[in-house]
Amino acid sequence: MLRTDILVIGSGLAGLRAALAARAADSRLTVHVLSPSAGPSGSSFANRNDCLGMQVPDPDDAGFDAEVLRLAAPGFADQTLVRQLRLEARARLDDLLRLGLDFRRAPDGALEYLPGCFSAAPRAVIFNGLARAHTLFRGAAEAAGVGFLDGLAARELVVADGCVAGARFMDRDGGEVDVSARAVILAAGGPAPLFERSMCGPGNDGLSYGLLERAGARLANAGFVQFFWNDAGSGRFAQPGVILRPGTVLHGPRGGLTLTAGHPALAQAEARARHCPAGYGLPDAILDELLLAHAEEDGGVRLTTAEGGETRLVFCAHAGNGGAVVDVDGMTCVSGLFVCGECATGMHGANRLGGGMVLATQVFGFRAGVAAARLGSGTERPPASAFDLLPPLPPSESSALLERLRRGMQRHCLFGPRPGLRGFIRELEDMARSSLTACSALTLARELLPEARKKAAR
Ligand SMILES: Cc1cc2nc3c(=O)[nH]c(=O)nc-3n(C[C@H](O)[C@H](O)[C@H](O)COP(=O)(O)OP(=O)(O)OC[C@H]3O[C@@H](n4cnc5c(N)ncnc54)[C@H](O)[C@@H]3O)c2cc1C
């Protein structure tokens, strides 16, 4: 049994921001970050673009709140959290500048501001070099006295009498490691790896929703995953608003379609070209639905472009917009359990402004760290007996199970419910008895059912 005051699970932008803030708030507290690897991981520090955008609204830019809340439908958003993003964006950008991240600048040296996806307002900055960003973040955390334990994946959050007591981890050899803590900050990333085709960086198995569900935390927006169309061969991003034009031929398994100028979907092409992920509840999703209606069983779409080129597009999970419902300090309904980054929600809903997630990792990572330190300094150490009652962890999940699960997610859970979803959910219910990954997938898949969507909208 290891003991710490503040346990941070995950070492992406959210986890490291939270750990730094917790140590800075109270240097008498021990703060430990546990994650599967010591190197750059997850979507923050190992995504394929090697750069990240971050929204930076001015504190009095109420247009930011209006944009975020408009995009949140048909999901859930909390305007208090959205406001907090706006109020603290500048301070968190200053932190990143002090850390020395490599931001893109105009020729005169000023930061370059660009519009993010779904927005025309140029208020997003971009930094390059994610591995270097990781080195800077981790170096700053080590210098501040944060402890790191690598090679460990959380498999269970330990809760006793409604309070978090720590977490149980699995090491690389399948051994169990228990960590008791006064406060726990979950920052283990989003659900994209649950899909056969995912764009996120390595080191995340998509367990956050399962960990939260089993701990009794309230989740929302779990069914709203962002998907991008990519070329199956090169892996490069493909913009449906540009590719779908008069003369494009879609080769579906049930017959083809040649697009003509009057096709109603094409009226939305210009709007669709303003964002990379497909947009939930937006009229321009008609283009994504048109592609999906011509998908083969594995979700791939064969098409001939207007210029006569043959290509195959695949829909890839990029990032989730769902997660734990948190208050303005990142606290969940489980006392002492804080959640930040891609596994928390409410600061965005079904859709999110491009650059909004990096901002959320910094604002709510910081706030969760400070609040966890405040709580940790005044809380009794949880009794070790909270761990005694736990059954041993099930063994590592078999690659056959994971393959079946990811294939099923790609087939039945793409951008809303697809045929066969109810049957797949029954399969997941079966798997979830022994598999945490299946529990995560089940939490997401259930949110796609029409009855869950209706309930969320009320
Ligand atoms: C290609 C790509 C481009 C993107 N571009 C942008 C952008 O420009 N702007 C923007 O705002 N967002 C962007 N996003 C989304 C954004 O990068 C992520 O949502 C964000 O970085 C998530 O940060 P995080 O710290 O919550 O999670 P991650 O960065 O994914 O980190 C999760 C951490 O948790 C660890 N972990 C996972 N499971 C466990 C476990 N069970 N136990 C212990 N540790 C665990 C992982 O190893 C990792 O260290 C992009 C995503 C992708 C994939």
Side-chain angles (χ1 to χ4, degrees), residues 216-243:
R218 196 180 141 224
L219 285 104
N221 297 332
F224 296 116
V225 176
Q226 292 193 163
F227 292 94
F228 282 37
W229 289 101
N230 288 328
D231 180 272
S234 66
R236 274 204 291 273
F237 170 61
Q239 172 52 267
V242 173
I243 289 188

Side-chain angles (χ1 to χ4, degrees), residues 7-8 27 32 62 159 164 182 195 215 239 244 249 268 270 275 306 358-359 403 418:
L7 166 62
V8 180
S27 59
H32 282 89
V159 178
V164 77
R182 296 175 201 261
F195 290 81
Q239 172 52 267
L244 297 184
V249 186
Q268 293 294 330
E270 210 180 306
H275 51 92
V358 169
L359 176 59
E403 242 173 66
R418 298 290 144 197

Side-chain angles (χ1 to χ4, degrees), residues 9-11 13-14 36 41 43-44 52-53 154 188-189 199 203 318 341-342 355 357-358:
I9 302 174
S11 60
L13 276 166
S41 59
S43 293
S44 301
L52 282 170
M199 297 170 68
H318 172 259
E342 206 185 307
M357 189 66 91
V358 169

Side-chain angles (χ1 to χ4, degrees), residues 9-15 34-37 41-45 47-49 51-54 152-155 169 187-190 199-207 211 318-319 340-343 352-359 361:
I9 302 174
S11 60
L13 276 166
L34 272 66
S35 71
S37 78
S41 59
S43 293
S44 301
F45 296 123
N47 85 53
R48 66 187 206 180
N49 294 353
C51 65
L52 282 170
M54 170 176 163
L152 295 168
R155 306 294 296 191
F169 290 79
M199 297 170 68
C200 70
N204 174 12
D205 289 333
L207 303 180
L211 289 166
H318 172 259
C340 54
E342 206 185 307
C343 49
R352 161 172 60 77
L353 285 178
M357 189 66 91
V358 169
L359 176 59
T361 63

